[in-house]
């Protein structure tokens, strides 16, 4: 199901992409920054985070393009050097995933404990017709000094989230940070909502999206480096946010990107890195395997959710039959019992429906989130390869220049000087390349360590919630059965 | 009592309620059922093996009992459709709930109910054929039996015309209407209940797949976080296995109690429908004979009158027996449904309690002691 990775061509920065006059950021200059991410590496971020919508329910979601690609056209600020070290202790909060036991503090730092809780709520339709959109309330509760107040809310729309993700990805992905992927766009789902259908499937869509946005923000905020990012802080705190234009689905830019994607696929496949670090090789294999397993699991789960919904429907049908039998029955006590049977079955219909929701929102979405996260992981691995490739290229070029210089004699003093200048420059480049490569490798190691710890916490929290739902269902059933038994026995 | 050529005045030597169909064995495509019954004298039990053909033999003999006035007014206990080892889709549909049990156990229960009903019927249990069926070591003759007047095919053809024939009796009019409604509703209820059970089975399978797939997530490696995750996957897999067995048990309970009850109710309503139809046919015969007698020429009059009197007598007997059968049937079916509902409720209650307990244990295992070990 994986589309091949690609590294995009560097597009002409001045080329207008669509009728909105959006342009690429001017990032094509090969600036040699010694201090941080190279400008032109911005273009390499259109990551393969979410190449396709993997969890498409038949009638619902269609993802035209991955939000990552929006970075190309993001109207975010220019890249910022991420901090050199991973800081801040990492303590799980206790909201979305309740009942977590306290993990050990990873690294001691400043006085701030990690304490933040973000919720997304109150979806509200704004506007009419095809220009309508859903506004969500984003509420942050925190005691951290990073923020101005302890509790505050803002209104955000879906494209704001995508815009935020675009900015974060453009700054951090290419240096090896696992930026959590944003939830997917859906043409079909949103169109229904815009058109004003107030039916269960539209409501379900909005709820699914709301929950996904909430998980997205929490996951992002949990990242000690991302939490400090000014764009994230602005997103959470500012009442007015400039509209992120580049995320519009069906834009001309989107189509251009798709074309680029296809072309780059071929390019990508030819990069082969000689891995000197066995750790990376091992890890990559592990993540490949994990990806396959999770997708399989997700499939079985979708099957489970589907059947559970079916059960709810069939139970309702049977309840109706029982009611009809009860109504036609002459024998009074039997008639009463059959009517009670119908009521019990109706209650069970609701229970099954609720259980299907738990199946989906807890388990299925967890797996889907992790499948998306793994594409992030694969993305940073790929970035590392690119960095290595760059280094190789620089080294090769340096070697060539040296060889050429050796051949140049004192005959042509100008040329010799030029050559020596070039070599000096290239040596600088090579050094920078080596530093970049070390840095990204180091960051990735740290990030994967964090990922693996988080994974345990996440899964545990979800399973506990899920088990609680199972226990609750059984307890409800016990109540229903205990109430029904005397009715059955009363038949004489 | 007239002389019993078919032994209608013998009594059954075994206790009706003790009849059990205990086992089924497979022989090629055919199934053989082991039937055990206790001697009334208390001195032991009978074990016999019978095939479906033997059951059919019995049923046909019951239909063709002689010297039972008004026999057509009897609501004959319904025999389930023939079961085969590799049933066709059509057969599976026909058998409905009876095809869902494990190893045909449910089907055996249905056959058992049939035998018990026959043995408890005061007229039907007097036939020697029943005694032979239940006690003889040799299978009863498996030769083709004469099809009595109960040939379903011929009934079906005439049925459409006669079924709606207006009744002369208020009691029977009501009963026919009522039966018509209940036959439809009970059949639908049984079918929809079957759908519920089939969906539950699908859920169980999905849980099983999930559990199996989870096992594959277990990664080898010394990394402590990875080990923790692997252990967690194993635990989650166990939760899924518990879920699977819970749903399976719920489905099993459904099928073996309420399912069986609904199936029986549905088939018994059909049996009553057939009886009412036979009586209606008698009514039509009577009305025809009366008209003929009225219009008969003096030459034929005496003969026609005789036919009319015979038809009248037959009809009266049939109606008389029918009334008794209906009363008996009404009592019996309330009993069956009552039993089914109570057992269903009790079993589901027990299963729910067991499952709640099991899930709580899983929950404890995950939450672990208050200390920091996330994998406990």
């Amino acid at each position: 199901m994986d589309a091949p990775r690609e590294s995009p061509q560097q597009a002409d920065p001045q080329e207008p992409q669509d009728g909105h006059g959006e342009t690429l950021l001017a990032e094509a200059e090969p600036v040699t920054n010694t201090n941080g991410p190279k400008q032109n590496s911005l273009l390499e971020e259109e990551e393969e985070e979410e190449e396709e919508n993997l969890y498409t329910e038949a009638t619902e979601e269609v993802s035209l393009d991955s939000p990552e690609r929006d970075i190309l056209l993001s109207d975010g600020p220019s890249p910022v050097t991420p901090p050199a070290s991973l800081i801040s202790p990492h303590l799980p909060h206790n909201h979305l995933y309740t009942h977590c036991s306290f993990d050990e503090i990873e690294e001691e730092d400043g006085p701030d404990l990690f304490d933040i809780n973000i919720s997304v709520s109150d979806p509200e339709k704004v506007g009419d017709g095809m220009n309508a959109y859903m506004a969500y309330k984003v509420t942050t509760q925190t005691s951290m000094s990073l923020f101005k107040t302890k509790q505050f809310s803002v209104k955000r729309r879906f494209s704001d989230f995508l815009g935020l993700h675009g900015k974060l990805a453009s700054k951090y992905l290419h240096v090896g940070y696992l930026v959590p992927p944003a939830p997917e766009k859906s043409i079909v789902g949103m169109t229904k909502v815009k058109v004003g259908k107030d039916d269960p499937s539209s409501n379900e869509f909005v709820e699914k999206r709301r929950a996904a946005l909430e998980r997205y923000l929490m996951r992002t905020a949990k990242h000690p480096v991302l939490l400090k990012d000014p764009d994230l802080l602005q997103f959470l705190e500012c009442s007015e946010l400039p509209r992120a234009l580049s995320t519009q689905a069906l834009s001309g830019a989107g189509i251009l990107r798709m074309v680029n994607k296809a072309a780059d696929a071929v390019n990508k496949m030819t990069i082969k890195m000689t891995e000197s670090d066995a750790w990376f090789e091992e890890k990559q294999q592990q993540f490949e395997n994990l990806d396959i397993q999770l997708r399989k699991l997700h499939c079985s789960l979708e099957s489970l959710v589907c059947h559970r919904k079916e059960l709810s429907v069939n139970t309702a049908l049977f309840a109706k039959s029982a009611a009809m039998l009860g109504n036609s029955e002459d024998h009074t006590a039997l008639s009463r019992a059959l009517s009670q049977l119908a009521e019990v079955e109706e209650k069970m219909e609701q229970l099954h429906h609720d259980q299907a929701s738990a199946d989906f929102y807890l388990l299925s979405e967890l797996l889907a989130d992790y499948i998306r996260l793994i594409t992030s992981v694969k993305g940073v691995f790929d970035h590392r390869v690119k960095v290595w490739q760059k280094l190789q290229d620089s080294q090769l070029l340096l070697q060539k220049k040296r060889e050429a210089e050796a051949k140049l004699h004192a005959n042509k003093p100008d040329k010799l000087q030029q050559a020596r200048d070039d070599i000096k420059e290239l040596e600088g480049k090579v050094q920078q390349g080596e530093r970049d490569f070390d840095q990204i490798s180091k960051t990735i190691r740290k990030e994967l360590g964090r990922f693996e710890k988080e994974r345990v916490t996440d899964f545990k929290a979800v399973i506990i919630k899920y088990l609680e739902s199972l226990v609750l269902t059984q307890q409800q059933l016990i109540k229903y059965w205990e109430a029904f038994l005397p009715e059955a026995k009363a038949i004489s | 009592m007239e002389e019993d050529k078919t032994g209608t005045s013998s009594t059954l030597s075994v206790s009706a309620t003790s009849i059990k169909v205990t086992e089924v064995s497979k022989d090629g495509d055919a199934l053989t059922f082991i039937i055990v019954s206790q001697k009334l004298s208390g001195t032991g039990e009978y074990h016999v093996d019978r095939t479906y053909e033997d059951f059919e033999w019995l049923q046909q003999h019951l239909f063709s009992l002689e010297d039972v006035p008004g026999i057509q007014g009897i609501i004959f206990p319904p025999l389930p459709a023939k079961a085969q080892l590799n049933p066709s889709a059509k057969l599976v549909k026909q058998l409905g709930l009876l095809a869902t049990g494990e190893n045909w156990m449910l089907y055996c229960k249905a056959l058992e109910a049939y035998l018990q009903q026959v043995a408890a019927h005061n007229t039907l249990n007097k036939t020697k054929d029943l005694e032979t069926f239940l006690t003889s070591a040799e299978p009863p003759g498996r030769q083709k039996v004469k099809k009595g007047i109960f040939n379903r095919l011929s009934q079906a053809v005439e049925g459409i015309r006669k079924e709606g024939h207006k009744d002369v009796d208020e009691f029977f009019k009501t009963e026919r209407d009522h039966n018509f409604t209940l036959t439809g509703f009970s059949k639908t209820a049984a079918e929809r209940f079957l759908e519920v059970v089939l969906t539950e089975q699908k859920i169980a399978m999905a849980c099983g797949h999930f559990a199996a797939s989870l096992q594959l997530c277990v990664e080898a490696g010394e990394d402590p976080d990875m080990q923790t995750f692997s252990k967690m996957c194993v635990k989650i897999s166990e939760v899924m296995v518990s879920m699977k067995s819970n749903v399976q048990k719920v489905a099993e309970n459904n099928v073996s109690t309420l399912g069986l009850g609904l199936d029986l109710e549905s088939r018994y309503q059909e049996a009553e429908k057939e009886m009412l139809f036979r009586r209606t046919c008698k009514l039509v015969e009577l009305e025809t004979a009366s008209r003929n007698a009225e219009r008969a020429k003096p030459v034929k009059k005496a003969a026609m009158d005789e036919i009319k009197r015979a038809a009248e007598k037959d009809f009266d007997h049939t109606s008389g027996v029918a009334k008794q059968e209906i009363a008996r049937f009404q009592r019996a079916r309330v009993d069956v449904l009552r039993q089914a509902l109570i057992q269903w409720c009790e079993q589901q209650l027990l299963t729910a309690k067991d499952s709640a307990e099991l899930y709580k244990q899983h929950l404890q295992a995950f939450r672990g002691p208050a200390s920091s070990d996330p994998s406990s």
Side-chain angles (χ1 to χ4, degrees):
Chain A
M1 230 173 143
D2 276 325
R5 312 271 130 75
E6 75 287 348
S7 78
Q9 313 287 11
Q10 300 201 358
D12 179 354
Q14 296 315 313
E15 186 183 294
Q17 300 297 346
D18 61 11
H20 296 275
E22 296 167 30
T23 54
L24 294 171
L25 284 181
E27 57 265 15
E29 324 127 31
V31 164
T32 42
N33 255 331
T34 51
N35 204 12
K38 289 213 164 52
Q39 295 281 49
N40 56 7
S41 49
L42 246 189
L43 285 170
E44 286 151 12
E45 272 103 63
E46 20 179 12
E47 251 339 282
E48 24 300 314
E49 243 83 301
E50 290 140 46
E51 290 158 324
E52 58 253 358
N53 192 340
L54 309 158
Y55 340 100
T56 315
E57 289 163 49
T59 55
E60 283 198 279
E61 310 219 322
V62 160
S63 174
L64 253 204
D65 50 347
S66 89
E68 257 51 282
R69 330 213 57 209
D70 296 2
I71 297 149
L72 249 192
L73 305 183
S74 149
D75 13 64
S78 43
V80 157
T81 314
S85 62
L86 262 185
I87 329 174
S88 74
H90 172 63
L91 290 171
H93 58 103
N94 39 14
H95 168 68
L96 179 65
Y97 303 122
T98 42
H99 313 289
C100 258
S101 52
F102 257 60
D103 280 339
E104 290 90 272
I105 296 172
E106 202 170 89
E107 283 167 36
E108 223 80 40
D109 190 38
D112 253 348
L113 286 188
F114 179 80
D115 162 36
I116 183 169
N117 175 26
I118 306 176
S119 62
V120 174
S121 60
D122 304 327
E124 206 185 338
K125 187 167 162 200
V126 177
D128 275 312
M130 286 313 285
N131 289 326
Y133 63 89
M134 273 303 192
Y136 301 88
K137 182 168 164 196
V138 177
T139 308
T140 312
Q141 288 166 306
T142 177
S143 67
M144 296 173 79
S145 55
L146 219 60
F147 298 94
K148 301 176 193 136
T149 45
K150 284 208 181 335
Q151 178 165 332
F152 46 92
S153 300
V154 293
K155 283 254 177 204
R156 296 284 179 255
R157 55 186 289 186
F158 186 67
S159 54
D160 294 333
F161 288 81
L162 293 184
L164 170 66
H165 172 75
K167 291 177 193 166
L168 293 177
S170 72
K171 286 189 253 183
Y172 298 100
L173 264 183
H174 62 275
V175 283
Y177 287 100
L178 288 179
V179 178
E184 273 136 27
K185 289 192 219 187
S186 161
I187 314 280
V188 177
M190 261 329 274
T191 307
K192 274 206 221 156
V193 173
K194 285 185 213 252
V195 164
K197 280 176 96 183
D198 190 20
D199 61 17
S201 80
S202 291
N203 294 337
E204 230 178 84
F205 171 79
V206 172
E207 173 53 29
K208 183 175 172 187
R209 176 163 278 193
R210 182 211 65 77
L213 291 173
E214 194 173 270
R215 291 194 311 272
Y216 165 68
L217 283 181
M218 276 309 305
R219 220 180 277 282
T220 306
K222 271 204 235 170
H223 195 300
V225 171
L226 296 179
L227 181 56
K228 298 201 161 70
D229 184 277
D231 283 320
L232 178 60
L233 299 176
Q234 183 190 45
F235 181 91
L236 292 174
E237 288 179 313
C238 286
S239 48
E240 288 295 320
L241 210 61
R243 172 110 181 268
L245 292 168
S246 57
T247 62
Q248 279 163 347
L250 292 178
S251 66
I255 297 176
L256 181 71
R257 275 177 251 146
M258 285 201 312
V259 169
N260 281 339
K261 192 174 176 171
D264 297 334
V266 179
N267 208 15
K268 189 61 164 291
M269 304 223 256
T270 56
I271 296 183
K272 186 79 172 97
M273 174 173 168
T274 26
E275 184 61 74
S276 53
D277 192 338
W279 186 89
F280 278 91
E281 214 167 305
E282 207 181 290
K283 280 296 168 194
Q284 276 195 270
Q285 191 55 53
Q286 278 169 6
F287 277 94
E288 285 292 332
N289 294 343
L290 186 62
D291 192 29
I292 295 171
Q293 298 316 333
L294 287 181
R295 283 168 199 254
K296 222 189 270 174
L297 283 172
H298 190 264
C299 239
S300 315
L301 250 184
E302 293 207 299
S303 177
L304 175 63
V305 172
C306 177
H307 291 317
R308 193 89 78 173
K309 286 186 180 164
E310 220 184 294
L311 182 59
S312 183
V313 167
N314 289 342
T315 305
L317 283 175
F318 176 66
K320 289 201 179 73
S321 273
M324 291 201 292
L325 275 177
N327 287 342
S328 325
E329 181 57 53
D330 278 342
H331 189 282
T332 328
L334 180 58
S335 168
R336 199 184 137 81
L338 287 171
S339 301
Q340 295 289 48
L341 169 62
E343 275 182 37
V344 168
E345 290 292 313
E346 273 170 21
K347 289 185 187 143
M348 286 187 21
E349 170 201 354
Q350 188 58 45
L351 273 185
H352 292 313
H353 184 263
D354 293 342
Q355 189 61 63
S357 287
D359 291 341
F360 179 75
Y361 283 105
L362 292 175
L363 295 182
S364 186
E365 289 284 73
L366 173 72
L367 290 178
D369 283 350
Y370 268 82
I371 292 172
R372 279 189 283 257
L373 266 171
I374 288 181
T375 29
S376 237
V377 172
K378 290 186 182 177
V380 296
F381 277 130
D382 285 340
H383 272 303
R384 180 171 168 271
V385 171
K386 283 187 199 139
V387 171
W388 178 84
Q389 185 62 49
K390 263 232 199 87
L391 177 59
Q392 293 302 105
D393 291 343
S394 304
Q395 284 171 337
L396 208 61
L397 196 57
L398 178 62
Q399 190 184 356
K400 281 207 179 111
K401 288 268 176 182
R402 281 189 175 142
E403 285 169 2
E405 192 239 6
K407 293 202 184 122
L408 279 180
H409 290 296
N411 313 4
K412 304 168 184 174
D414 295 334
K415 281 213 172 137
L416 199 59
Q417 188 52 43
Q418 182 65 44
R420 286 188 183 144
D421 287 340
D422 286 347
I423 286 173
K424 197 110 198 215
E425 199 184 316
L426 276 173
E427 280 171 349
K429 240 189 177 157
V430 166
Q431 275 175 10
Q432 182 59 42
E434 284 167 349
R435 276 199 293 273
D436 286 346
F437 186 71
D438 283 339
Q439 183 61 46
I440 196 176
S441 301
K442 195 165 144 208
T443 306
I444 291 179
R445 276 178 187 263
K446 222 163 193 166
E447 286 288 275
L448 290 190
R450 210 181 65 86
F451 172 90
E452 281 166 4
K453 278 203 162 58
E454 284 267 310
R455 183 173 58 167
V456 170
T457 327
D458 269 357
F459 272 67
K460 181 174 172 181
V462 165
I463 282 296
I464 286 176
K465 256 198 163 168
Y466 188 71
L467 277 168
E468 284 171 349
S469 83
L470 289 177
V471 172
L472 195 64
T473 307
Q474 295 306 312
Q475 287 173 335
Q476 289 282 67
L477 281 172
I478 290 171
K479 275 207 203 106
Y480 298 153
W481 295 130
E482 282 176 345
F484 182 73
L485 193 54
E487 296 288 345
K489 288 189 167 163
I491 307 170
S492 54
Chain B
M1 259 267 193
E2 289 102 286
E3 190 188 41
D4 53 18
K5 300 175 204 126
T6 51
T8 47
S9 62
S10 61
T11 34
L12 198 58
S13 71
V14 299
S15 138
T17 47
S18 74
I19 302 173
K20 300 260 178 282
V21 177
T22 54
E23 269 175 64
V24 54
S25 58
K26 296 150 202 178
D27 185 17
D29 238 10
L31 297 164
T32 306
F33 305 92
I34 308 294
I35 305 166
V36 179
S37 47
Q38 306 296 322
K39 292 186 189 170
L40 275 173
S41 56
T43 55
E45 56 183 35
Y46 289 103
H47 279 241
V48 296
D49 58 83
R50 298 286 180 254
T51 64
Y52 187 79
E53 282 73 22
D54 297 327
F55 279 85
E56 271 187 321
W57 172 93
L58 176 61
Q59 186 77 322
Q60 286 302 327
H61 275 241
L62 292 176
F63 286 163
S64 44
L65 279 177
E66 290 173 3
D67 309 315
V68 178
I71 185 177
Q72 307 215 41
I74 292 183
I75 303 176
F76 288 88
L79 186 60
K82 177 174 178 179
Q84 272 169 334
L85 253 191
N86 295 309
S88 63
K90 186 175 162 203
L91 182 59
V92 169
K93 194 168 190 308
Q94 200 180 11
L95 287 172
L97 281 157
L98 296 183
T100 57
E102 289 267 329
N103 299 323
W104 297 105
M105 281 332 282
L106 211 65
Y107 189 79
C108 290
K109 283 257 169 283
L111 287 179
E112 191 178 287
Y114 166 75
L115 289 174
Q116 287 188 1
Q117 284 152 8
V118 174
H121 194 290
N122 291 327
T123 309
L124 298 178
N125 63 11
K126 302 222 173 16
T127 167
K128 202 155 137 222
D129 295 324
L130 181 63
E131 178 78 22
T132 313
F133 182 93
L134 289 171
T135 61
S136 159
E138 288 301 315
R142 284 175 186 170
Q143 70 273 26
K144 271 275 185 222
V145 289
K146 60 180 191 259
K147 295 275 177 168
I149 23 184
F150 303 94
N151 189 325
R152 282 193 183 190
L153 204 51
S154 69
Q155 274 189 339
V157 168
E158 301 182 358
I160 324 294
R161 259 190 301 132
K162 290 185 187 162
E163 201 165 14
H165 189 91
K166 206 162 162 239
D167 212 301
V168 296
D169 183 323
E170 200 52 44
F171 170 80
F172 281 101
K173 182 182 188 314
T174 314
E175 187 60 27
R176 279 164 68 187
D177 288 339
H178 198 231
N179 166 262
F180 181 76
T181 312
L182 282 184
T183 312
F185 286 169
S186 59
K187 185 156 190 269
T188 310
E191 283 168 356
R192 288 179 175 179
F193 198 65
L194 174 62
E195 284 302 310
V196 168
V197 169
L198 291 176
T199 314
E200 285 168 344
Q201 289 177 339
K202 284 187 210 165
I203 291 178
M205 229 167 56
C207 289
H209 283 154
F210 191 82
S213 298
L214 257 177
Q215 292 288 351
L216 297 173
C217 275
V218 175
E219 295 158 354
E222 295 111 24
D223 189 306
D225 284 325
M226 285 199 40
Q227 283 190 341
T228 312
F229 184 68
S230 295
K231 278 193 217 149
M232 184 170 286
C233 285
V234 171
K235 276 220 201 111
I236 297 176
S237 176
E238 287 167 8
V239 171
M240 274 295 155
V241 168
S242 296
M243 270 177 64
K244 177 182 176 179
S245 39
N246 165 259
V247 177
Q248 275 178 331
K249 193 76 181 65
V250 166
E252 214 181 282
N253 294 344
N254 276 341
V255 134
S256 61
T257 57
L258 187 53
L260 202 54
L262 287 172
D263 173 77
L264 189 60
E265 165 75 4
S266 167
R267 286 185 296 113
Y268 233 117
Q269 291 287 352
E270 281 283 342
E272 188 196 9
K273 180 174 166 189
E274 277 163 26
M275 180 280 279
L276 289 170
F277 176 73
R278 290 193 295 268
R279 181 189 157 276
T280 306
C281 290
K282 292 273 168 212
L283 177 59
V284 170
E285 263 178 50
L286 173 57
E287 288 176 352
T288 311
S290 298
R291 269 201 305 275
N292 290 347
E294 249 175 83
R295 296 180 198 152
K297 298 201 170 82
V299 162
K300 297 256 173 112
K301 190 107 168 84
M304 288 292 123
D305 277 342
E306 185 51 45
I307 293 175
K308 178 191 160 188
R309 265 197 297 275
E312 204 163 22
K313 190 164 161 210
D314 195 11
F315 179 69
D316 287 342
H317 274 146
T318 305
S319 297
V321 169
K323 269 207 170 114
Q324 284 178 344
E325 286 284 284
I326 287 169
R328 189 172 168 276
F329 170 58
Q330 294 300 346
R331 280 193 304 272
R333 66 177 278 275
V334 169
D335 223 23
V336 164
L337 286 173
R338 174 176 186 272
Q339 267 308 101
L341 287 169
I342 292 174
Q343 277 182 345
W344 178 63
C345 186
E346 283 175 345
Q347 285 189 18
Q348 295 292 31
L349 180 56
L350 192 58
T351 301
K353 284 182 175 165
D354 287 344
S355 296
E357 207 34 62
L358 190 55
Y359 291 146
K360 276 187 194 153
Q361 283 174 13
H362 281 297
L363 195 52
Q364 268 309 101
F366 269 95
R367 282 187 178 146
S371 67
S372 57
D373 180 8
S375 67
S376 59

